[in-house]
Amino acid sequence: MTVRAIRERIHDIAGIRITTSFVADAYWIADILADQGDLEVLTVKDYIASPKPNGYRSLHLIVQVPVYLSTHVEQVPVESQIRTIAMDFWASTEHKLSYKYEKNLPPAARAELDDAARVAHELDQRMERARSEIRPQAAPGGSGGLFPGRPGPAAPPTDGDAAG
């Protein structure tokens, strides 16, 4: 492969995974990255709203970031995965088991992982509801961002709220 071909085809030579406590925060962080002046969002894959068939949920963004070299600046694509703690636990476990069995999981193990994906999703929904009872979410689509109309993170605490 030539350097040019590598640049055209490889968009995840570097990556970062960000874990959040709440689904709304994953979208909020994606919007923050999109608003960052020195980053450019190249692609977005929303596996939270549209999970993969195996139950995988996460936001994937390919962002172009400046890398400062001694003589010039290179723009490098970096994959950002943003997901909740529950999504991350499930994805890490599913990945380890899939590779242990060389992607040929026994049917019972596949069924367990499918059910665990459902349970992780339900846990995220329950935690989101619990938080919204304590602190209402910010208004949807405040700055437009990548996901207009989605609720923002929880409103910041007022003086009478407990920290957290």
Side-chain angles (χ1 to χ4, degrees):
M1 291 186 82
T2 65
V3 172
R4 182 177 178 187
I6 291 170
R7 284 186 172 280
E8 290 173 0
R9 295 182 188 151
I10 298 178
H11 296 128
D12 59 355
I13 196 162
I16 184 169
R17 182 170 301 137
I18 301 167
T19 56
T20 67
S21 295
F22 302 99
V23 172
D25 292 345
Y27 288 102
W28 177 59
I29 288 170
D31 281 339
I32 288 172
L33 290 173
D35 289 342
Q36 186 76 20
D38 59 347
L39 302 180
E40 179 185 356
V41 177
L42 301 176
T43 62
V44 176
K45 293 182 182 172
D46 186 350
Y47 296 118
I48 295 173
S50 300
K52 288 187 174 185
N54 69 350
Y56 177 81
R57 292 177 187 267
S58 181
L59 281 178
H60 286 209
L61 280 66
I62 303 291
V63 295
Q64 194 161 266
V65 301
V67 174
Y68 297 90
L69 304 173
S70 60
T71 58
H72 65 284
V73 177
E74 284 285 336
Q75 297 296 326
V76 177
V78 173
E79 181 182 43
S80 300
Q81 297 176 352
I82 309 167
R83 54 194 187 208
T84 66
I85 296 164
M87 291 175 201
D88 188 59
F89 176 69
W90 181 89
S92 297
T93 303
E94 195 272 348
H95 182 77
K96 287 174 191 167
L97 291 176
S98 289
Y99 279 94
K100 178 180 179 180
Y101 288 100
E102 299 176 1
K103 298 197 177 198
N104 293 314
L105 284 171
R110 179 78 263 160
E112 280 295 322
L113 284 171
D114 290 348
D115 190 52
R118 180 190 57 77
V119 170
H121 177 60
E122 288 175 3
L123 178 61
D124 278 337
Q125 291 176 318
R126 290 175 69 182
M127 295 297 101
E128 201 82 46
R129 280 193 304 271
R131 179 175 76 167
S132 69
E133 289 176 14
I134 297 166
R135 281 200 247 162
Q137 289 185 330
S143 66
L146 294 173
F147 307 97
R150 285 203 64 85
T158 62
D159 290 339
D161 289 340

